[in-house]
Amino acid sequence: MTTIEQLRESAQVICDTFGEIPQTAMVLGSGFGEFAKILTDTKVLPYADIPHMCISTAPDHVGRLVCGKVNGVPVLLMQGRLHHYEGYSFAQTVYPVQALSLAGVKNLILTNAAGGINTDYAVGDFSLITDHIKLCDPSPMHGANIPELGPRFFDMTNAYDKTLRTLALQAAQETGIALKEGVYAYMSGPQFETPAEIRALNVLGADLVGMSTVAETIAANHCGMKVLGISCVTNMAAGVTGAPITSEEVNETGAKMLSQFSTLAAAILAKIAQNR
Ligand code: HPA
């Protein structure tokens, strides 16, 4: 079980390593880890050097914090996230989010690769997450509450912050990169879904499906951070086209979209910084 003392120790190491902490942190989803390369003035802190933090085991998730600037705008990147399917508890998967909050981060941009359920999507599309559906598994806030982080019961009405979404849509329009909007359904994986599960999620109102992001969003809302969620549709979800889903396809699409993702992410970071 996470304690406030553990989190404070982790936050102290983050602050000691990076000095001034950027207002905005960004979690880089599958395929987008290389975004860290466009940062200047970088400092790096491997997860293994942060007390009490777990390491990333998912392919392509390097497992380190990278602090630097994108076109002069400070940002703290999580290059690699922790997933429940890796065997971590939900509490462990959100530990870095809570530590970043204690270190002083206010805005959290969560990015991911997702399957497209809504047939208005095409592979390679970017979509803002407007809301999420999590049907099963305990909340990451399950267990004793840590009042220093946030209240026992908390609102999720604006879980994906409306102001940040508006800024992201403006940034997308200015860069000419299409940014759709949709509801993200969490499935625990690591298996991709069955076609029947995808049909059920479709009926429930989900546009996108993936194995991350939602626990982090819950933890970030608990501790009062503002969240922006961005999915890249790396494949159409199970049964939508009938083609089997492979992790190679997911990674290939992510790699193909990296340059556009970088342009979009940089524009969004600039917009958020201007709006302070
Ligand atoms: N399902 C779940 N997670 C995913 C998918 C998917 O189709 N694509 C990328 N991550």
Side-chain angles (χ1 to χ4, degrees):
M1 206 187 71
T2 301
T3 66
I4 190 69
E5 290 76 22
Q6 290 174 332
L7 285 166
R8 284 194 176 128
E9 255 185 77
S10 302
Q12 192 60 53
V13 170
I14 295 169
C15 292
D16 290 347
T17 306
F18 297 133
E20 203 175 333
I21 300 296
Q23 288 268 304
T24 303
M26 188 166 179
V27 180
L28 299 175
S30 300
F32 298 136
E34 300 277 289
F35 175 69
K37 285 197 177 148
I38 76 164
L39 264 61
T40 57
D41 312 288
T42 50
K43 284 185 194 163
V44 169
L45 177 60
Y47 296 167
D49 294 347
I50 305 176
H52 314 295
M53 180 133 151
C54 299
I55 53 163
S56 295
T57 68
D60 186 42
H61 288 249
V62 181
R64 56 187 198 167
L65 295 181
V66 183
C67 192
K69 290 184 178 167
V70 179
N71 301 329
V73 177
V75 66
L76 209 170
L77 301 180
M78 274 185 65
Q79 198 179 22
R81 59 155 49 93
L82 307 170
H83 304 81
H84 186 55
Y85 67 70
E86 294 172 74
Y88 294 128
S89 69
F90 282 106
Q92 286 172 316
T93 65
V94 302
Y95 186 91
V97 169
Q98 295 169 321
L100 289 179
S101 169
L102 282 187
V105 170
K106 305 287 180 226
N107 304 314
L108 186 65
I109 304 179
L110 298 167
T111 68
N112 62 48
I117 299 176
N118 187 326
T119 50
D120 288 346
Y121 286 128
V123 170
D125 278 352
F126 293 105
S127 176
L128 280 183
I129 301 175
T130 55
D131 205 345
H132 74 224
I133 297 174
K134 179 180 187 294
L135 291 174
C136 48
D137 302 312
S139 161
M141 310 333 291
H142 181 99
N145 185 44
I146 302 179
E148 292 87 345
L149 289 180
R152 167 79 297 181
F153 301 103
F154 54 100
D155 184 45
M156 291 288 287
T157 310
N158 191 32
Y160 299 87
D161 186 73
K162 183 81 179 108
T163 307
L164 290 184
R165 278 190 274 146
T166 303
L167 294 172
L169 289 171
Q170 285 169 5
Q173 203 172 25
E174 285 167 22
T175 54
I177 295 172
L179 185 57
K180 295 184 173 168
E181 294 181 89
V183 172
Y184 178 96
Y186 170 78
M187 294 292 272
S188 58
Q191 75 285 359
F192 293 111
E193 299 69 33
T194 63
E197 285 168 338
I198 294 300
R199 286 196 300 275
L201 292 173
N202 188 25
V203 170
L204 293 175
D207 302 297
L208 300 150
V209 61
M211 305 176 195
S212 68
T213 301
V214 163
E216 293 151 343
T217 297
I218 295 169
N221 275 268
H222 175 248
C223 60
M225 290 165 118
K226 293 200 162 79
V227 174
L228 183 71
I230 305 172
S231 291
C232 176
V233 178
T234 51
N235 56 281
M236 294 313 287
V240 175
T241 65
I245 300 165
T246 65
S247 59
E248 287 76 19
E249 178 189 11
V250 171
N251 294 335
E252 270 167 33
T253 312
K256 262 191 225 151
M257 300 314 295
L258 177 67
S259 148
Q260 274 199 36
F261 171 82
S262 301
T263 306
L264 180 62
I268 291 173
L269 287 169
K271 246 318 160 217
I272 294 174
Q274 282 159 20
N275 194 57
R276 275 176 59 189

